[in-house]
Amino acid sequence: MQRKTRIAFYLILTVPFFVFGRIIVFLRYGPFVDDFKKCQQALFNSINSEGAANLARISEILVVAEDHRNGYHFGIDFIGIVRAFKVRVVTGRQQGASTIDQQFVRAITGRRERNIRRKFREQLLASLIRLAFSREDINLAYLRNAYYGESYIGEKGVVELLGRGISECEIVAYIKFPLPSRSSEVHNLKIARRVGHIEKIRLGEIKLIWMQKFIF
């Protein structure tokens, strides 16, 4: 019952974004429609891909690291947005609130402007694709298009990193801290801390609001 309540909470808040996004598509606003089609095509390509790597476990780790309420929301994490705003006001630090869906949209469209308009547009697209595709399909599509570092992009990059003996947790950490062209102690320390943080979340040592239970 608690899970259904949480899903209903997110669905009710997401409906206006979805409706507004559909209106923009209906009005055939060129740039927005083009980006929506790019996301759709990337998802279709991913779904129809035989896959050179088993990304299922990496997808689970991705949820732990980047979007631990992934099982409840519909592309927009309103609790994450409120938390990030609170941190910004109280400490002055900027904290991200992007869901995997929004990160996928960013990876496909290539839009990285630092303004509210780009963020709002990203949220609209994320709500549209989440209500058209499963969260599992979106997570895998993101991994197949993510940037892990110089020369390591998408599923091919994942295969090469696994071949080098890089762990699945480290690969997910590279999404936040891409692998540089030259080895760096500073970068290695960031990855070690990120991997440690992911493990603590997975084991329940870090308590987060409405966090999913992870069993892997």
Side-chain angles (χ1 to χ4, degrees), residues 68-69 197 200-201 203-211:
H68 55 268
R69 285 180 287 269
H197 183 71
K200 286 180 179 179
I201 295 175
L203 295 172
E205 294 177 11
I206 296 177
K207 302 299 181 182
L208 300 166
I209 300 174
W210 287 10
M211 183 174 69

Side-chain angles (χ1 to χ4, degrees), residues 105-144:
V105 169
R106 198 178 312 146
I108 299 304
T109 63
R111 294 182 182 274
R112 299 182 181 276
E113 305 94 331
R114 290 182 174 274
N115 56 52
I116 294 177
R117 183 185 179 203
R118 191 272 301 168
K119 194 71 176 177
F120 181 58
R121 177 198 188 96
E122 198 172 272
Q123 290 171 341
L124 293 178
L125 288 167
S127 68
L128 288 178
I129 63 171
R130 172 55 79 88
L131 290 168
F133 296 88
S134 73
R135 51 180 51 88
E136 291 80 10
D137 285 338
I138 296 170
N139 295 351
L140 292 175
Y142 178 47
L143 289 171
R144 289 190 170 112

Side-chain angles (χ1 to χ4, degrees), residues 9-213:
F9 164 80
Y10 274 112
L11 180 59
I12 290 169
L13 291 178
T14 305
V15 166
F17 288 81
F18 174 75
V19 172
F20 190 43
R22 290 306 308 175
I23 290 173
I24 295 175
V25 171
F26 177 75
L27 294 176
R28 298 182 181 180
Y29 176 62
F32 186 87
V33 173
D34 289 343
D35 284 347
F36 182 46
K37 288 181 178 179
K38 287 178 184 177
C39 292
Q40 285 182 312
Q41 190 58 57
L43 277 156
F44 287 134
N45 291 343
S46 174
I47 291 169
N48 295 324
S49 171
E50 293 183 0
N54 183 0
L55 299 177
R57 178 176 163 80
I58 300 178
S59 176
E60 292 174 340
I61 296 171
L62 176 69
V63 171
V64 175
E66 300 288 339
D67 193 0
H68 55 268
R69 285 180 287 269
N70 184 263
Y72 302 133
H73 68 67
F74 294 86
I76 307 169
D77 184 1
F78 298 98
I79 290 178
I81 292 171
V82 172
R83 182 212 66 220
F85 180 75
K86 179 182 176 182
V87 170
R88 184 66 179 268
V89 171
V90 174
T91 69
R93 291 188 295 110
Q94 189 166 349
Q95 196 173 66
S98 294
T99 61
I100 292 172
D101 315 78
Q102 290 172 239
Q103 293 179 47
F104 166 74
V105 169
R106 198 178 312 146
I108 299 304
T109 63
R111 294 182 182 274
R112 299 182 181 276
E113 305 94 331
R114 290 182 174 274
N115 56 52
I116 294 177
R117 183 185 179 203
R118 191 272 301 168
K119 194 71 176 177
F120 181 58
R121 177 198 188 96
E122 198 172 272
Q123 290 171 341
L124 293 178
L125 288 167
S127 68
L128 288 178
I129 63 171
R130 172 55 79 88
L131 290 168
F133 296 88
S134 73
R135 51 180 51 88
E136 291 80 10
D137 285 338
I138 296 170
N139 295 351
L140 292 175
Y142 178 47
L143 289 171
R144 289 190 170 112
N145 290 276
Y147 178 80
Y148 303 95
E150 192 170 331
S151 303
Y152 298 102
I153 302 172
E155 187 170 12
K156 182 180 177 182
V158 172
V159 172
E160 292 177 356
L161 289 169
L162 289 172
R164 286 181 49 190
I166 303 298
S167 74
E168 293 160 328
C169 274
E170 287 176 304
I171 289 173
V172 171
Y174 287 156
I175 293 176
K176 188 175 182 68
F177 303 113
L179 193 65
S181 56
R182 294 183 179 181
S183 181
S184 161
E185 284 300 320
V186 173
H187 180 266
N188 292 342
L189 182 59
K190 287 181 179 178
I191 294 300
R193 286 176 176 170
R194 183 66 172 163
V195 170
H197 183 71
I198 293 170
E199 279 299 307
K200 286 180 179 179
I201 295 175
R202 185 180 71 82
L203 295 172
E205 294 177 11
I206 296 177
K207 302 299 181 182
L208 300 166
I209 300 174
W210 287 10
M211 183 174 69
Q212 293 176 230
K213 291 183 179 179

